[in-house]
């Protein structure tokens, strides 16, 4: 099942997306996929039966992030693809080893942006806005001390996100939080594909493009720490909650590592795509 949070005739609600159509409840609705997940059992049954839902054309709707405002920070893996570790070695001018333990930082919930929303670029704040396409994992069942063998039972589904990063702020402040949490710096969506529909999240082509030119092109099979390992480690010390979002790291091809380095400029169109899930398309605008 593909679920989205949309607006239709000025009302925000959850929609099931099938081909070119969106299906919504004609009476009552969940305001976003987070509320859907809080009522998962009944909600899943309701949305399983297309004949009980109202069919509308996707041209008539506007997509929001499936979870427009997560309850907690988005948890992000750093250096989780070997080729991205290697390009960081080149970028930093010193040997960077693959991490022995996952590197985890977070993005503020306020950074979440719509899948087709504009990304504001204030050149007085950053001159080095960069892209990082990532597979997002949505937790459907919370828990603490989850073992990797049980971890996939805690996954509701998967989405596309871009961990948009101000490289200058990321470096300047040492800790990543400020450089990762600019308003609008986490476009997400357009749908969450439920885990029962997307059988193998570890074999998906993952790409990003700027103005149609491919920047990143890899496969989620190249993650250093896979999803069960990530969930085991994250839940060891903190209770994972329903609706938590995990960004699983980006492959090589970020702008900072290119020669010469390339960063986003006003007018650029950033596309982030993962096979079987969809594509984000965000315009960079000056503000
Ligand atoms: Mg990242």
């Amino acid at each position: 099942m593909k679920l989205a949070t949309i607006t239709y005739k000025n009302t925000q609600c959850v929609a099931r997306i099938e081909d070119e159509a969106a299906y919504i409840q004609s009476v009552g609705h969940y305001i976003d996929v987070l509320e859907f997940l809080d009522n998962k059992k009944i909600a899943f049954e309701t949305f399983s039966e297309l004949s009980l839902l109202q069919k509308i054309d996707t041209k008539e709707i506007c997509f929001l992030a499936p979870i427009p405002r997560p309850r907690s920070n988005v948890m992000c893996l750093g250096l989780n693809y070997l080729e991205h570790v290697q390009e960081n070695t080149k970028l930093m001018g010193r040997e960077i080893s693959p991490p022995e333990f996952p590197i985890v930082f977070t993005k503020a919930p306020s950074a979440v942006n719509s899948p087709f929303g504009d990304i504001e670029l204030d050149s007085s704040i950053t001159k080095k806005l960069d892209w990082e396409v990532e597979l997002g994992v949505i937790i459907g069942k919370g828990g603490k001390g989850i073992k990797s063998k049980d971890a996939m039972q805690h996954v509701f589904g998967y989405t596309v996100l871009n961990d948009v990063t101000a490289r200058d702020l990321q470096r300047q402040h040492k800790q990543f939080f400020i450089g990762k949490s600019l308003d609008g710096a986490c476009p997400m969506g357009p749908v969450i594909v439920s885990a029962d529909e997307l059988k193998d999240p570890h074999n998906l082509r993952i790409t990003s493009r700027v103005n149609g030119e491919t920047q990143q092109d890899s496969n989620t099979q190249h993650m250093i720490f896979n999803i069960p390992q990530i969930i085991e480690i994250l839940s060891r010390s903190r209770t994972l909650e329903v609706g938590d979002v995990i960004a699983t790291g980006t492959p090589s091809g970020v702008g900072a590592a290119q020669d010469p380095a390339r960063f986003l400029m006003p007018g650029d169109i950033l596309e982030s795509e993962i096979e079987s899930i969809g594509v984000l398309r965000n315009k960079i605008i000056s503000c």
Side-chain angles (χ1 to χ4, degrees):
M1 192 181 290
K2 294 184 176 72
L3 292 169
T5 298
I6 64 161
T7 53
Y8 172 64
K9 293 184 174 174
N10 295 320
T11 300
Q12 182 182 321
C13 63
V14 169
R16 178 175 168 184
I17 308 295
E18 290 291 331
D19 302 319
E20 290 304 299
Y23 295 82
I24 61 172
Q25 291 170 282
S26 43
V27 182
H29 60 259
Y30 299 109
I31 197 162
D32 57 23
V33 179
L34 189 56
E35 193 180 20
F36 177 103
L37 291 175
D38 286 336
N39 299 276
K40 196 168 59 224
K41 197 164 182 299
I42 297 171
F44 218 86
E45 278 171 22
T46 304
F47 278 83
S48 293
E49 191 51 68
L50 286 180
S51 63
L52 298 178
L53 300 168
Q54 180 187 350
K55 183 180 180 182
I56 48 180
D57 195 309
T58 50
K59 291 187 184 74
E60 295 181 69
I61 67 177
C62 178
F63 283 84
L64 304 179
I67 300 179
R69 188 79 176 199
R71 292 193 180 108
S72 301
N73 287 16
V74 176
M75 293 168 274
C76 306
L77 274 283
L79 300 181
N80 200 32
Y81 284 76
L82 191 58
E83 287 176 357
H84 184 51
V85 175
Q86 289 161 348
E87 71 178 0
N88 266 271
T89 292
K90 219 165 65 181
L91 178 64
M92 306 299 278
R94 61 184 169 85
E95 188 65 29
I96 308 279
S97 303
E100 188 182 349
F101 299 98
I103 298 168
V104 182
F105 59 88
T106 70
K107 289 172 92 74
S110 51
V112 172
N113 198 345
S114 302
F116 310 115
D118 292 339
I119 297 174
E120 291 188 349
L121 170 55
D122 182 339
S123 61
S124 71
I125 294 173
T126 177
K127 292 181 170 48
K128 295 186 174 181
L129 196 67
D130 205 344
W131 52 84
E132 295 190 0
V133 62
E134 308 199 9
L135 176 69
V137 174
I138 311 298
I139 296 296
K141 186 174 125 192
K144 193 174 182 188
I146 300 164
K147 295 297 175 201
S148 61
K149 67 176 172 55
D150 304 319
M152 295 311 248
Q153 297 167 27
H154 292 259
V155 174
F156 173 70
Y158 304 94
T159 194
V160 185
L161 63 82
N162 200 304
D163 174 19
V164 175
T165 303
R167 295 288 176 216
D168 35 9
L169 300 183
Q170 183 186 13
R171 299 271 149 71
Q172 183 178 309
H173 295 278
K174 310 301 179 197
Q175 298 278 333
F176 292 0
F177 182 71
I178 291 176
K180 293 285 188 177
S181 293
L182 275 68
D183 292 345
C186 190
M188 187 191 299
V191 296
I192 295 173
V193 183
S194 59
D196 60 331
E197 185 167 317
L198 203 163
K199 295 280 187 239
D200 187 3
H202 297 106
N203 188 19
L204 300 172
R205 189 175 181 192
I206 178 167
T207 55
S208 70
R209 294 177 291 280
V210 177
N211 303 330
E213 189 184 327
T214 298
Q215 306 296 326
Q216 298 177 281
D217 188 353
S218 187
N219 191 293
T220 56
Q221 66 180 280
H222 299 304
M223 282 183 202
I224 295 172
F225 298 100
N226 65 24
I227 295 162
Q229 291 171 314
I230 293 168
I231 288 175
E232 175 168 329
I233 287 164
L234 288 176
S235 71
R236 204 175 271 167
S237 54
R238 173 186 179 267
T239 304
L240 289 183
E241 297 180 313
V242 172
D244 277 350
V245 182
I246 302 168
T248 53
T250 200
S252 62
V254 301
Q258 297 186 14
D259 188 16
R262 177 178 178 181
F263 298 104
L264 293 164
M265 301 293 286
D268 283 347
I269 305 291
L270 172 62
E271 291 175 296
S272 315
E273 184 163 10
I274 299 181
E275 178 186 2
S276 303
I277 304 176
V279 58
L280 313 175
R281 193 169 292 106
N282 303 97
K283 185 176 185 181
I284 313 303
I285 61 164
S286 61
C287 69

